[in-house]
Amino acid sequence: MLKRSIHRRLFSSALVLAPWALSLTLPAHAASATVGQAAPDFSATDTSGQPHKLSDFKGKLVVLEWTNPGCPFVRKHYSGNLQGLQKEFTAKGVVWLAINSTENESSDYLAPAKLAGWMADKQAAPTATLMDVSGDIGQLYGAKTTPHMYIISPQGQLIYAGGIDNIPSARVADIQNATNYVRQGLNEALGGKALSVATSRAYGCSVKYKDKA
């Protein structure tokens, strides 16, 4: 009887605590950024250890690019001149933040110096390449693939989320026939126009998030 009584009390306590425990874990998954609303702020260090905060770039267009050099879709776009797109728009004052949310137990993980070396080899030109090993930023934005692209207005509003273009393949040859939603959106935003495509389906490799279970 005593054991049953203790068991009942423990079970009852678990029922009381469960909703509280759930409230601690839900926000991490429910706080994903939404197009048309304020882009969630975040802080991260780049591959050289320098800190960056999204809100520091308010007043400028910002691109967020989720990346992972181990992904063939990422390699496709860097073989097809994604670095040229970065150079084109950073020269116009756009801030371009490449973000790597690959957890450090993944075979795709690259330490900051190696990631910086890969970007240099590709002659990539983002404003900064940010490390998000915890996956907190990626989950905050609901980033699901590499690449997964976002555009934030100078006012801090998320105005685009989705794929880099409209042909979901890993073939470099398809790039020339695709509509690049990022180029299109940035040109429209720089021209003071509303984006003709504000959301699209992202495609690529799944983001290798740290298991937080």
Side-chain angles (χ1 to χ4, degrees), residues 74-117:
V74 170
R75 295 197 296 270
K76 161 197 171 180
H77 285 288
Y78 275 97
S79 296
N81 204 28
L82 177 55
Q83 52 274 73
L85 193 67
Q86 295 166 344
K87 293 171 184 175
E88 176 184 349
F89 286 100
T90 54
K92 297 177 181 180
V94 174
V95 173
W96 193 297
L97 302 176
I99 303 174
N100 192 318
S101 296
T102 305
E103 61 109 348
N104 55 7
E105 296 298 322
S106 169
S107 60
D108 280 355
Y109 173 76
L110 292 180
K114 288 189 176 181
L115 179 56

Side-chain angles (χ1 to χ4, degrees), residues 4 22-23 28 39 49-50 61 68-69 71 75 94 101 104 106 112 120 122 127 132 138 147 162-163 189 200 208:
R4 288 182 181 177
L22 195 62
S23 71
Q50 295 300 308
L61 278 166
N68 167 15
C71 173
R75 295 197 296 270
V94 174
S101 296
N104 55 7
S106 169
K122 295 297 180 182
T127 305
D132 178 39
S200 70
K208 307 303 187 292

Side-chain angles (χ1 to χ4, degrees), residues 5 18 23 52 71 73 86 89 91 100 112 130 139-140 143 152-153 160 170 181 184 188 193 195 207:
S5 177
S23 71
H52 298 270
C71 173
F73 294 89
Q86 295 166 344
F89 286 100
N100 192 318
L130 305 181
Q139 291 178 341
L140 181 65
I152 299 167
S153 75
Y160 177 77
Y181 291 134
Q184 176 178 281
E188 289 171 338
K193 300 177 182 177
L195 271 63
V207 178

Side-chain angles (χ1 to χ4, degrees), residues 26-34 40 139-142:
L26 272 178
H29 301 285
S32 296
T34 302
Q139 291 178 341
L140 181 65
Y141 274 78

Side-chain angles (χ1 to χ4, degrees), residues 10-198:
L10 289 173
F11 183 71
S12 177
S13 297
L15 288 176
V16 171
L17 288 173
W20 172 79
L22 195 62
S23 71
L24 291 179
T25 57
L26 272 178
H29 301 285
S32 296
T34 302
V35 170
Q37 296 184 9
D41 198 12
F42 62 81
S43 298
T45 55
D46 64 23
T47 51
S48 62
Q50 295 300 308
H52 298 270
K53 190 174 183 180
L54 178 62
S55 55
D56 289 342
F57 301 114
K58 196 165 185 179
K60 296 185 176 183
L61 278 166
V62 178
V63 173
L64 306 181
E65 169 208 338
W66 259 265
T67 191
N68 167 15
C71 173
F73 294 89
V74 170
R75 295 197 296 270
K76 161 197 171 180
H77 285 288
Y78 275 97
S79 296
N81 204 28
L82 177 55
Q83 52 274 73
L85 193 67
Q86 295 166 344
K87 293 171 184 175
E88 176 184 349
F89 286 100
T90 54
K92 297 177 181 180
V94 174
V95 173
W96 193 297
L97 302 176
I99 303 174
N100 192 318
S101 296
T102 305
E103 61 109 348
N104 55 7
E105 296 298 322
S106 169
S107 60
D108 280 355
Y109 173 76
L110 292 180
K114 288 189 176 181
L115 179 56
W118 187 87
M119 297 291 274
D121 286 345
K122 295 297 180 182
Q123 299 183 327
T127 305
T129 301
L130 305 181
M131 301 299 296
D132 178 39
V133 178
S134 69
D136 290 345
I137 301 171
Q139 291 178 341
L140 181 65
Y141 274 78
K144 293 179 173 59
T145 63
T146 52
H148 200 150
M149 310 296 298
Y150 299 80
I151 301 175
I152 299 167
S153 75
Q155 295 75 35
Q157 185 181 71
L158 186 63
I159 56 176
Y160 177 77
I164 189 169
D165 62 30
N166 68 334
I167 300 182
S169 84
R171 296 184 298 271
V172 177
D174 286 333
I175 293 175
Q176 62 183 349
N177 299 317
T179 297
N180 189 298
Y181 291 134
V182 177
R183 172 180 280 113
Q184 176 178 281
L186 288 173
N187 280 327
E188 289 171 338
L190 287 168
K193 300 177 182 177
L195 271 63
S196 53
V197 177

